[in-house]
Amino acid sequence: MIAANYRKHPEAMALQLVLPFSRLFRWHTSRPTTRLGRLFRALAAAAFKAKGYTQAVAKKAVPGWFSAAKAEARKLARSVKVACIALPFDELERLQRVYQANPPKNPYARMRMLMRLEQAKAR
């Protein structure tokens, strides 16, 4: 039916809009890395803006209960972190065992191990 109408009225074919048979142009793509790609993107952006085809991406609405739950979870995580206590004697004993079993040969590593031991004693 459509083909028959175009055979009867070939000028109608010229008045039709161009159909997008090719790949769609994606506006939100990653930044092109080639000079030609950047130039094409800049030209396409200027053309889109001139025609008024650009539109701000709307932010997704986040429900209030979800934001409140996330805030409560962060508050709980902070309180748990504060409530956790370090057991310094366990750390000191572990460091002493490691140091006695295998003392570091490197002077820098030896100094660092001694500093860790002093820090563990200070706790």
Side-chain angles (χ1 to χ4, degrees):
M1 178 79 179
I2 294 173
N5 286 339
Y6 283 140
R7 278 193 297 264
K8 288 181 190 173
H9 308 284
E11 68 278 359
M13 182 72 132
L15 299 176
Q16 296 297 316
L17 293 174
V18 176
L19 297 175
F21 289 119
S22 65
R23 182 177 65 87
L24 293 176
F25 180 76
R26 290 180 24 194
W27 181 252
H28 296 290
T29 59
S30 61
R31 184 177 178 272
T33 56
T34 63
R35 186 182 316 156
L36 187 61
R38 288 192 297 269
L39 176 65
F40 175 74
R41 186 177 170 114
L43 293 173
F48 271 59
K49 288 176 186 173
K51 278 290 205 180
Y53 289 152
T54 59
Q55 184 178 6
V57 178
K59 288 182 71 176
K60 291 183 180 178
V62 178
W65 61 266
F66 185 77
S67 299
K70 293 284 275 187
E72 289 296 320
R74 284 192 299 272
K75 191 189 302 182
L76 177 65
R78 278 194 300 269
S79 67
V80 167
K81 189 175 182 180
V82 169
C84 289
I85 58 170
L87 301 175
F89 56 87
D90 289 344
E91 179 74 12
L92 179 61
E93 288 175 8
R94 187 186 69 79
L95 286 174
Q96 284 175 340
R97 277 195 313 253
V98 168
Y99 186 69
Q100 288 171 356
N102 188 12
K105 309 255 186 296
N106 183 345
Y108 176 75
R110 186 180 304 128
M111 181 184 69
R112 189 169 171 168
M113 179 63 83
L114 291 173
M115 285 176 49
R116 283 185 184 166
L117 281 168
E118 288 175 13
Q119 287 174 354
K121 285 178 190 175
R123 289 184 194 167

